[in-house]
Amino acid sequence: MRAAVVSSFGGPEAVEVVETGVPEPGARQVRIKVAAAALNPVDAGVRSGVFGGAGKRIGLGWDVAGTVDATGVATAWSVGDEVVALDYGVVKPLGTHAEYVVVDTDAVAKAPATVGAVHAATLPLNALTAVQALDLLGLTPERSLLVTGAAGAVGGYAVQLAAHRGISVTALARKDDEDLVRSLGAAHFTAGEVEPASFDAVLDAAVLGGAALEWVRDGGVFAGVIPQAQPASVRGVRTGAVEVSADGARLAELVRLVDEGVLTLRVAGTYALDEAAKAHARLAEGGVRGRLVLVP
């Protein structure tokens, strides 16, 4: 089968599409025939060596939508099931940017019924990150929340999920994105003019760090999206950062919200698997709204 990998670190040109063996599922695993797989910033980080792994051939891709093709023992999934899944891991021999991928059965959820595979592939990593970050914040509806990077994939899901919970969301994004983030459910918008200590909580999807921490009121809460990279606590503000986990049951809840029209799946463009390097180059240009998706 074909798979996108990196054997040496660098820019988009470092991405190779190679021939490799089809992986076999073990106990409590399933093999998915990939219909679509989103490209995320974490893939660019893996490609450029941010997470290490020098000297290894590293597979790319975390998100997948497709069809169960084979199963190991002790799994409730059947061949032919249409599914989505998160294949967690930054340094792995194969990822979801391939024709087939093996994942743990507990990472899998039934695919949305209301959208195709290309859109479904944009859900797992970013929506799970958003909902797990909101869990970390632990907000009740009367609390105020600022979401930075609200027009991005994680930020956009965070806005929709928080608004669905009845939380008053202020979206921080570029001025040109105001209509977009308001359509996602933001009650308020700012392009950067934020008073210090003015929100009960900040979900920092834009990775602004200390600058965003200043916008949290004394005793409030801050959640980042890069594990262990949150700023130190000040003024009694509780700080933390989500490390996304593959959670099929939680992913199934997010799929239900897609089918109910609560979550919007945004595709910025599609590329053939053989064009993986070209997709990385487009991501590196910036300004992508939604996710680029690879189709084997």
Side-chain angles (χ1 to χ4, degrees), residues 7-103:
S7 299
S8 59
F9 300 135
E13 71 285 348
V15 178
E16 308 172 74
V17 177
V18 301
E19 289 287 341
T20 188
V22 176
E24 294 295 333
R28 298 190 56 78
Q29 290 185 321
V30 299
R31 186 173 69 207
I32 299 170
K33 180 175 174 55
V34 179
L39 173 64
N40 289 283
V42 68
D43 297 305
V46 172
R47 183 201 74 220
S48 60
V50 170
F51 304 103
K56 299 180 180 180
R57 191 170 79 175
I58 305 171
L60 300 170
W62 291 48
D63 286 316
V64 61
T67 305
V68 174
D69 167 75
T71 65
V73 298
T75 174
W77 298 101
S78 301
V79 171
D81 287 342
E82 294 184 359
V83 296
V84 291
L86 176 65
D87 181 25
Y88 178 90
V90 291
V91 181
K92 53 196 177 186
L94 290 172
T96 64
H97 295 172
E99 292 181 288
Y100 296 89
V101 65
V102 167
V103 298

Side-chain angles (χ1 to χ4, degrees), residues 101-191:
V101 65
V102 167
V103 298
D104 292 341
T105 186
D106 292 341
V108 181
K110 185 177 178 181
T114 55
V115 299
V118 169
H119 281 80
T122 68
L123 182 70
L125 175 58
N126 295 288
L128 282 170
T129 299
V131 76
Q132 290 170 10
L134 288 171
D135 291 346
L136 192 63
L137 292 173
L139 298 179
T140 51
E142 68 273 12
R143 300 299 184 184
S144 60
L145 170 66
L146 175 70
V147 176
T148 73
V154 173
Y157 284 132
V159 169
Q160 290 191 303
L161 289 164
H164 183 63
R165 295 181 181 187
I167 296 166
S168 177
V169 181
T170 297
L172 173 63
R174 296 176 184 174
K175 191 172 296 185
D176 291 346
D177 288 321
E178 179 174 0
D179 289 345
L180 169 62
V181 296
R182 287 191 182 275
S183 75
L184 298 176
H188 308 285
F189 171 82
T190 178

Side-chain angles (χ1 to χ4, degrees), residues 123 127 156-157 160-161 253-255 257-265:
L123 182 70
Y157 284 132
Q160 290 191 303
L161 289 164
E253 295 174 6
L254 295 166
V255 167
L257 294 177
V258 170
D259 286 337
E260 291 176 357
V262 174
L263 292 180
T264 302
L265 307 180

